[in-house]
Amino acid sequence: MSIQPATRVLTEEQIADFHRDGVVVVRGLFSADEVASIERGIERNLAEPSDRFKVASQPDDPGRFVEDFCNWQRIAEFEDIAFTSRAADAAADLMRSPVRFYHDHMLVKEPGTRQETPWHQDQPYYNVDGFNNCSLWMPVDPVTTESTLEFVAGSHKKGWLMPRTFMNNEAKWFPEGSLTEMPAIEGHRENFDIRSWSMQPGDVVFFHMLTLHHSYGVPGTQRRRAFSLRFLGDDMVHAPRNWITSPQFDDLDADIPAGAPMDHPLFPLLRAG
Ligand SMILES: O=C(O)CCC(=O)C(=O)O
């Protein structure tokens, strides 16, 4: 099957913002129909969780934070948005590269969730090396700055930081002492260039897999259902790990050697560049 060429959707200014800050907001990337479709996909995912589904909040949390990963092959709405929407075109603009689909990620905070998403980078949890990448995060519910995703501008250029579990702060990936620890950002927020945007359904943020990001819980009665797509550019290669990555991909080592491109049916090319 021939891979579609990308259509230009972002401005030079948006592309420059992403490269400088490691994050850019793109208003209205998805149509109302696309948002409704993703919302249906999220509800289906919640009703039919996969083996990767996890609860990321404590049992006594008044709300609930749940996540699931890699469901595009069984949830048509997720497959559609990855393959046919302007998301992959925007990723091609940002990466100036062919676009490979890495995975989808659903993140839902139910009303009253206290659990924060701690400050973290994504790439140290993954099984990929390289720098040319981007992720998209979009809410299907309106989010205020209290519960939106927030980012430390420029942090994607400052190296890898220790990944830890969200709930208990355990080092389950890189061994203790092998990476620099996360700086204490909460309590010292004035020392960091923190960027965030209130968002309407259809708006998205694109961010680099090394950009530090965080969100608070959600107050009141508002759900915060979000969906994310992860994209790989032309220098991204397989980095097999001695631990279970998040998300987990079983038995890839036999198919993709260390250091090779993620050329595999699980990671389809979405745009030719
Ligand atoms: O939705 C959240 O609170 C966290 C999102 C996140 O960490 C991500 O998309 O990588």
Side-chain angles (χ1 to χ4, degrees):
M1 193 179 74
S2 71
I3 310 297
Q4 232 182 289
T7 304
R8 182 70 189 265
V9 293
L10 298 183
T11 64
E12 281 304 329
E13 192 184 351
Q14 288 170 319
I15 295 168
D17 287 354
F18 173 80
H19 287 277
R20 185 188 59 241
D21 299 333
V23 60
V24 63
V25 64
V26 180
R27 303 287 182 191
L29 185 74
F30 293 131
S31 68
D33 283 352
E34 287 172 326
V35 172
S37 172
I38 298 166
E39 187 175 358
R40 281 195 303 277
I42 291 176
E43 289 305 322
R44 210 170 119 204
N45 193 165
L46 291 170
E48 299 161 27
S50 79
D51 293 346
R52 291 183 172 89
F53 180 87
K54 54 182 175 208
V55 178
S57 50
Q58 304 287 357
D60 64 352
D61 195 304
R64 202 161 98 115
F65 177 23
V66 298
E67 302 179 75
D68 207 346
F69 307 80
C70 306
N71 285 300
W72 65 271
Q73 285 164 305
R74 65 185 190 97
I75 297 186
E77 291 86 349
F78 292 172
E79 180 181 9
D80 271 1
I81 209 76
F83 281 77
T84 67
S85 77
R86 298 195 299 161
D89 294 310
D93 285 346
L94 294 174
M95 301 191 300
R96 300 186 180 103
S97 154
V99 178
R100 190 176 290 285
F101 187 26
Y102 185 32
H103 63 272
D104 57 272
H105 188 168
M106 176 201 74
L107 309 107
V108 172
K109 290 189 178 179
E110 296 294 355
T113 300
R114 258 198 313 247
Q115 179 71 49
E116 292 185 20
T117 308
W119 285 102
H120 69 283
Q121 301 168 314
D122 287 334
Q123 199 171 347
Y125 295 86
Y126 291 166
N127 65 342
V128 286
D129 279 335
F131 192 76
N132 199 13
N133 62 62
C134 64
S135 294
L136 162 162
W137 182 94
M138 58 145 320
V140 298
D141 302 300
V143 292
T144 62
T145 46
E146 282 175 291
S147 48
T148 196
L149 207 54
E150 44 183 27
F151 303 86
V152 176
S155 51
H156 62 309
K157 293 184 183 156
K158 299 204 171 141
W160 288 46
L161 298 170
M162 189 69 177
R164 292 184 175 277
T165 57
F166 283 8
M167 281 201 291
N168 305 320
N169 208 34
E170 288 171 83
K172 286 192 2 193
W173 294 276
F174 286 84
E176 289 286 3
S178 62
L179 288 178
T180 306
E181 287 298 330
M182 190 66 50
I185 299 177
E186 292 306 293
H188 307 275
R189 291 172 62 96
E190 66 286 358
N191 297 336
F192 296 86
D193 183 359
I194 296 176
R195 308 282 175 89
S196 71
W197 299 268
S198 57
M199 294 171 71
Q200 293 299 316
D203 297 343
V204 310
V205 278
F206 278 96
F207 57 101
H208 190 276
M209 290 176 187
L210 290 177
T211 305
L212 277 168
H213 54 287
H214 160 269
S215 73
Y216 290 114
V218 290
T221 54
Q222 181 78 52
R223 298 179 86 188
R224 200 226 58 186
R225 292 168 297 170
F227 183 65
S228 179
L229 295 169
R230 320 293 188 173
F231 300 110
L232 304 175
D234 53 6
D235 74 344
M236 299 301 292
V237 294
H238 190 206
R241 304 292 187 199
N242 294 328
W243 49 84
I244 294 172
T245 57
S246 177
Q248 175 178 357
F249 296 102
D250 292 327
D251 303 326
L252 267 190
D253 300 10
D255 294 345
I256 316 178
M262 300 291 276
D263 187 3
H264 188 279
L266 281 179
F267 313 111
L269 265 185
L270 298 176
R271 295 291 182 275

